[in-house]
Amino acid sequence: MPEDALSILQTAKKPAYPINEPLRDYLVKFGREAELPVTYKDLTGFSEGAPLRDAAGRDTLWESVIYPREQMTTLHHGLKQIYALMQAEGSVSVMDHLYVDRIDYCTFGNSHPFRIRIVNAYNDNFDHFYVKKADASRVYGLELEHLLSPNRLHFLTSGNTLVEEHIAGIPGDIFIKRWLDDQNVSSVRLAKELVKFNERCFARLLGDMRAYNFVVVLVPDFEGVQVRIRAMDFDQQSYNGRMRFYLPQFFKDNLALVNYCQKRLNDQTARQYQREEQALMFRRAETGRVRIGALLSAMEHSEISTPEKIGQLGAELAEHHQHAAFGQLHSMGALVRESLALVAGKFAAHSGHTGPNPFVAEAPPNPIQR
């Protein structure tokens, strides 16, 4: 890979795009919209905060916040209700032994999230979830991840509030420093997952997957350790106009992982893993054809980028894939659909699959002639 291709790609601050009517209808239909007892705005009323440091005393860029005493009881009860909605479909029986241990606030990045730490009083086990300002880009990113990746995601929206579960794992930048050469991690399994992750991000146009925006999950197995790589930040879903922004391999932060793969995989094996991931996305889409179709339809009618960026990305994708249709599209949603349809077409060509492409929009029925 040429050295200049690995230059740092700067991420300009992305505006938040509101959830429009087509997306809201989708969220209601598929159970993502709920009446929440606490909103993002409610959490902004904290009275003071203190910097939160890690075990080594380093600043985490989060601060623990405190609320007026008269608000605390109501807030904590509402946050436990939200956790019950996320994890137990609203069953209040899970709330009795839970308490809110801490509310953290972060001014780093675009979303300015609140992180809620929930603790089980019986055994001190803890969990986290996040409360953020709703952003259509992020919602599309979360839902595409849920439908097309190996990972299921729990999140809810309510008006201008978005609630997300915590995605557990080792942040990619920390994994590179501390785990990349660990003998317990199979080098081939890790390289395979990196190729498949790169393919997933590019196919559905999830951008900015530099090392600190994904996690590595290690699961002990009867023969070694299984590896999975998961995106954890969906702010840059289909916003940027540069094609390379959607390929994790081109970020300088990920250079150590690129070199790692190049030493362990030849081109033929890498292509095999790409095709495996294409096949998996195809099968997931076939299983959820109605839902993925509804999501892409809403996305095609949502403003989540600028005409200039859409035009630039369409032109670059058209040149890369030698597929002129990209250059004729006028929304990021349409580009995502075309990209996924192209991936599905490649799978069908290699496998001999003759069924309909699950990403192609079905034509409306012909009117009855009288």
Side-chain angles (χ1 to χ4, degrees), residues 14-289:
K14 185 189 81 67
Y17 287 96
I19 295 175
N20 65 359
E21 186 175 349
L23 178 53
R24 187 76 67 190
D25 290 344
Y26 172 91
L27 295 169
V28 170
K29 180 177 180 179
F30 291 100
R32 294 297 198 184
E33 181 81 3
E35 288 286 339
L36 297 180
V38 177
T39 66
Y40 181 88
K41 185 177 180 180
D42 293 333
L43 291 174
T44 61
F46 56 88
S47 55
E48 52 186 304
L52 184 64
R53 301 188 180 279
D54 63 16
R58 295 183 292 263
D59 188 357
T60 63
L61 303 180
W62 291 80
E63 59 180 34
S64 292
V65 295
I66 302 172
Y67 295 82
R69 184 177 298 273
E70 61 272 16
Q71 296 180 24
M72 290 288 283
T73 301
T74 302
L75 272 181
H76 283 199
H77 182 75
L79 291 169
K80 289 196 297 180
Q81 284 183 297
I82 291 175
Y83 184 77
L85 279 171
M86 293 270 288
Q87 302 298 336
E89 295 295 326
S91 175
V92 294
S93 62
V94 305
M95 293 173 50
D96 294 341
H97 58 285
L98 301 178
Y99 66 91
V100 177
D101 179 56
R102 203 174 65 223
I103 301 174
D104 304 326
Y105 176 64
C106 182
T107 57
F108 178 74
N110 291 332
S111 62
H112 294 178
F114 288 90
R115 181 175 61 198
I116 316 302
R117 179 181 162 106
I118 295 281
V119 178
N120 185 318
Y122 292 152
N123 55 22
D124 293 330
N125 189 39
F126 60 88
D127 197 3
H128 297 92
F129 67 90
Y130 299 84
V131 182
K132 304 176 180 181
K133 290 180 284 189
D135 172 26
S137 305
R138 187 180 298 275
V139 172
Y140 282 121
L142 287 163
E143 191 69 358
L144 284 166
E145 179 78 0
H146 179 78
L147 295 175
L148 297 178
S149 83
N151 313 302
R152 304 283 72 83
L153 285 175
H154 298 296
F155 71 91
L156 293 170
T157 60
S158 179
N160 295 322
T161 297
L162 170 65
V163 177
E164 296 178 30
E165 68 175 337
H166 175 66
I167 297 175
I170 305 166
D173 53 340
I174 296 175
F175 181 86
I176 290 170
K177 292 177 183 177
R178 303 180 187 175
W179 293 78
L180 193 56
D181 297 318
D182 191 291
Q183 297 302 310
N184 294 314
V185 178
S186 166
S187 60
V188 175
R189 286 179 179 175
L190 175 58
K192 175 181 179 178
E193 279 301 306
L194 288 165
V195 170
K196 297 180 77 170
F197 179 68
N198 197 74
E199 183 68 14
R200 275 201 308 276
C201 292
F202 187 45
R204 42 74 69 99
L205 300 181
L206 174 63
D208 200 22
M209 282 299 109
R210 64 190 83 203
Y212 53 76
N213 283 334
F214 62 81
V215 296
V216 182
V217 182
L218 303 177
V219 181
D221 198 1
F222 71 97
E223 288 191 6
V225 176
Q226 296 289 349
V227 182
R228 178 168 292 176
I229 299 174
R230 298 188 60 178
M232 67 173 180
D233 191 334
F234 302 91
D235 183 62
Q236 295 286 335
Q237 173 66 53
S238 309
Y239 170 72
N240 201 281
R242 292 165 292 176
M243 186 189 73
R244 286 183 175 180
F245 197 73
Y246 301 99
L247 284 157
Q249 70 192 68
F250 285 110
F251 285 102
K252 187 173 182 179
D253 308 63
N254 300 342
L255 179 58
L257 298 176
V258 174
N259 292 337
Y260 188 94
C261 286
Q262 288 179 330
K263 291 176 182 177
R264 290 160 176 83
L265 300 179
N266 57 34
D267 289 345
Q268 185 176 0
T269 303
R271 281 195 296 272
Q272 173 198 334
Y273 295 150
Q274 285 178 309
R275 289 173 183 170
E276 285 182 13
E277 193 59 33
Q278 291 168 6
L280 289 170
M281 285 189 285
F282 184 97
R283 292 179 182 127
R284 291 173 193 130
E286 272 197 318
T287 303
R289 175 187 293 271

